[in-house]
Amino acid sequence: MSPMKPLVIVTPFHESQIQAAIYCSKRSGIQIRVRSGGHDYEGLSYVSEVPFAIVDMRNLRSISIDTKDKTAWVETGATLGQLYYTIASKSKTLAFTAGVCPTVGVGGHMSGGGYGMLSRRHGIAADHIIDAKVIDVNGRILDRKSMGEDLFWAIRGGGGTSFGIVFAFKIELIVIPQTVTVFNVTRTLEQNATQIVHRWQYVADKIDENLLLRLFLRSFTSSRNGKRTIGAFFTSLYLGRVDDLLPIMQEKFPELGLVKEDCTEIPWIESVLFFAGFPRNTSLDVLTSRVPLVRPYFKGKSDYAMEPIPEHGLKGIWKFLDVENENRAELQFSPYGGRLNDYSEFEIPFPHRAGNIFMIHYLVSWDKPGKKESQRHVDWIRKLYSYMAPYVSKSPRTAYFNYRDLDIGMNNERNTSFKQASVWGFKYFKNNFRRLVRVKTEVDPYNFFRNEQSIPPLS
């Protein structure tokens, strides 16, 4: 069955228009899908196989910063770039811990977790939500006090759209140094990338929590010899100056061979541009754009590693990267540890805490249309995912909710049992899935807010 187009797209300017959309959808018997930014791996915010309407939050994007209290109210139609830009316009020493891509919408990102370059020092976005405004299935506008702690717990990592429509979050901002240090160092197979990546796994989650050493793995043609090789790209942020960073690297990770010339000292807001891949001296105004990176066709998956992958396991990954189109397939290794370990896995629905060395994000993209072409690339990433099974978490094999993946399980259109939803639910949320189902049963017992991977009520 082919996905349908929406019957209507509602772009509210006021919460009363969201209430009206809920009322009309209930009366008409059509689904609602809620879209805040559009970075939605499986299109669940704007595609359905049954009649539906989109509530597009793009016009609800106001941001109010209180520098004295170090808090902000942000409407869920804002993007991360807009949030970062607004914070930086008010203060050089305040920031927020959330994702790298500036065009990601606040609503889906924060309600699903929100890992980013500050996470080893400051946790994820959902750890810093202190209030919210939600419109429930009955059209009531609820804040933290009136919604109760169960629902407030659920929307901080369990996804907002299973429980209602979140239209604003209150967040606590974090204090950062005026100057941070960034670097992007590449090592190829010819430069001992296999051994360096292997060593990285023993360092990345244990090193100083002010340092986040993110690692990207891709195949590309070397400009040195014109041959295809594997590149390990160490793209990193240190909350401090280069002279403090270098001794840490020389002691804990000398294998990388980092030198002062590799590093750049900049204000935090410029690091946002750096990690988003913008050229040096790009105007900060680009952060206010809502135009996303264009990937015509795309598939992503995720895993968590709880012990290092042996060198022979890494060499198997290199073989997979060799057979895909160069620079179109990628593994991202995002380190955990630090402050991420300080929270109980039950504190919010996001359960991926102590015990995880790093998260793996698999991506493949392609340009040519057609089912045959699509199937070729999707088959490739599924085979890679299957190959990785011995090296990642087990019982359950966990995944990150914000990297949505329908391969790991789907709901029925209407009446999904707890058992069926558990197939995917425990992968994203572990034992927190049980509490999410209880909250759903309480606030939306007839399952009005639903999609292919929404939390089901107990029937």
Side-chain angles (χ1 to χ4, degrees):
M1 186 176 179
S2 298
M4 301 179 68
K5 291 185 178 180
L7 299 173
V8 63
I9 300 175
V10 182
T11 53
F13 286 88
H14 190 269
E15 54 261 37
S16 64
Q17 294 165 326
I18 303 175
Q19 292 170 305
I22 293 172
Y23 176 77
C24 291
S25 294
K26 286 171 70 176
R27 285 208 59 174
S28 306
I30 63 173
Q31 278 190 15
I32 277 184
R33 300 291 171 111
V34 186
R35 171 183 166 129
S36 61
H39 287 251
D40 181 351
Y41 282 12
E42 299 284 10
L44 304 188
S45 63
Y46 51 85
V47 172
S48 179
E49 293 187 352
V50 299
F52 75 110
I54 295 176
V55 176
D56 190 319
M57 305 293 283
R58 65 175 55 234
N59 296 322
L60 289 167
R61 58 176 186 263
S62 74
I63 300 167
S64 175
I65 310 287
D66 186 329
T67 55
K68 184 179 179 183
D69 287 348
K70 301 184 181 67
T71 61
W73 273 104
V74 51
E75 291 185 330
T76 52
T79 63
L80 296 181
Q82 290 165 348
L83 175 61
Y84 297 153
Y85 179 90
T86 306
I87 295 170
S89 70
K90 302 287 186 181
S91 170
K92 290 182 170 60
T93 56
L94 291 178
F96 190 66
T97 177
V100 167
C101 190
T103 53
V104 167
V106 160
H109 182 72
M110 289 189 188
S111 69
Y115 175 95
M117 296 303 297
L118 296 169
S119 287
R120 294 195 67 252
R121 179 66 180 86
H122 294 285
I124 60 170
D127 293 330
H128 295 269
I129 296 170
I130 55 177
D131 204 344
K133 292 180 181 176
V134 181
I135 300 178
D136 73 1
V137 68
N138 298 310
R140 297 178 300 175
I141 297 176
L142 307 172
D143 61 8
R144 178 174 182 173
K145 184 176 180 181
S146 57
M147 79 176 73
E149 286 303 301
D150 278 348
L151 179 53
F152 185 63
W153 174 86
I155 61 173
R156 290 176 296 151
T161 54
S162 289
F163 307 98
I165 298 180
V166 183
F167 67 89
F169 284 120
K170 186 179 185 182
I171 55 176
E172 54 183 4
L173 304 179
I174 59 173
V175 178
I176 42 107
Q178 285 206 27
T179 302
V180 302
T181 302
V182 299
F183 64 86
N184 186 13
V185 172
T186 304
R187 297 290 182 262
T188 63
L189 293 186
E190 296 73 23
Q191 298 168 315
N192 294 322
T194 304
Q195 293 73 28
I196 295 170
V197 170
H198 184 252
R199 179 61 189 156
W200 173 91
Q201 299 176 93
Y202 291 87
V203 173
D205 68 314
K206 300 175 185 68
I207 204 162
D208 188 314
E209 65 183 21
N210 288 302
L211 175 59
L212 193 146
L213 294 162
R214 203 174 196 189
L215 171 59
F216 296 76
L217 303 171
R218 292 192 295 271
S219 72
F220 69 104
T221 298
S222 172
S223 58
R224 292 183 178 183
N225 57 21
K227 294 182 179 179
R228 185 91 172 259
T229 188
I230 300 297
F233 303 83
F234 296 85
T235 304
S236 307
L237 171 68
Y238 176 67
L239 295 173
R241 291 190 171 271
V242 65
D243 289 342
D244 297 317
L245 167 64
L246 289 175
I248 295 171
M249 291 294 290
Q250 286 157 6
E251 179 188 353
K252 302 293 186 183
F253 195 23
E255 295 84 356
L256 186 61
L258 187 75
V259 295
K260 192 168 187 175
E261 290 72 26
D262 295 324
C263 303
T264 307
E265 293 185 337
I266 50 178
W268 166 74
I269 191 62
E270 291 183 22
S271 80
V272 173
L273 298 179
F274 178 85
F275 295 118
F278 289 105
R280 194 79 198 273
N281 300 320
T282 299
S283 168
L284 292 176
D285 292 343
V286 73
L287 295 175
T288 64
S289 169
R290 297 186 68 92
V291 180
L293 175 71
V294 176
R295 282 194 177 105
Y297 304 99
F298 168 87
K299 177 65 181 174
K301 301 176 81 66
S302 64
D303 261 322
Y304 280 90
M306 307 185 80
E307 55 188 42
I309 302 167
E311 284 194 24
H312 67 82
L314 295 175
K315 290 174 181 176
I317 295 173
W318 307 160
K319 290 178 182 177
F320 273 94
L321 289 172
D322 265 342
V323 300
E324 246 303 339
N325 296 348
E326 63 175 314
N327 282 317
R328 300 312 295 263
E330 179 177 275
L331 284 79
Q332 298 175 8
F333 287 6
S334 296
Y336 273 50
R339 283 283 289 155
L340 286 159
N341 287 356
D342 294 346
Y343 293 85
S344 157
E345 69 177 60
F346 304 107
E347 188 140 341
I348 62 173
F350 177 91
H352 313 292
R353 303 294 186 171
N356 293 295
I357 301 178
F358 56 95
M359 174 174 61
I360 307 173
H361 185 195
Y362 313 93
L363 307 94
V364 63
S365 62
W366 60 99
D367 293 323
K368 293 180 182 177
K371 190 171 183 179
K372 187 176 179 181
E373 181 74 5
S374 172
Q375 198 61 51
R376 180 168 73 86
H377 297 287
V378 172
D379 285 347
W380 176 87
I381 199 171
R382 286 173 177 164
K383 288 174 184 173
L384 172 59
Y385 184 76
S386 178
Y387 166 81
M388 292 296 292
Y391 307 118
V392 296
S393 57
K394 300 169 183 67
S395 301
R397 183 176 181 175
T398 50
Y400 179 33
F401 185 64
N402 276 353
Y403 297 153
R404 200 70 76 94
D405 179 12
L406 293 181
D407 287 353
I408 67 173
M410 287 174 60
N411 295 340
N412 294 329
E413 197 288 300
R414 179 78 199 195
N415 297 312
T416 293
S417 67
F418 175 84
K419 183 178 180 181
Q420 181 178 347
S422 295
V423 172
W424 58 264
F426 282 94
K427 292 181 174 74
Y428 289 136
F429 305 114
K430 298 172 72 171
N431 280 319
N432 291 331
F433 182 66
R434 299 180 192 276
R435 185 177 175 188
L436 288 167
V437 170
R438 290 198 298 270
V439 176
K440 173 70 170 183
T441 306
E442 183 179 334
V443 303
D444 185 19
Y446 299 107
N447 205 21
F448 173 72
F449 292 109
R450 65 187 186 277
N451 60 50
E452 288 80 355
Q453 280 186 348
S454 58
I455 307 294
L458 288 170
S459 52

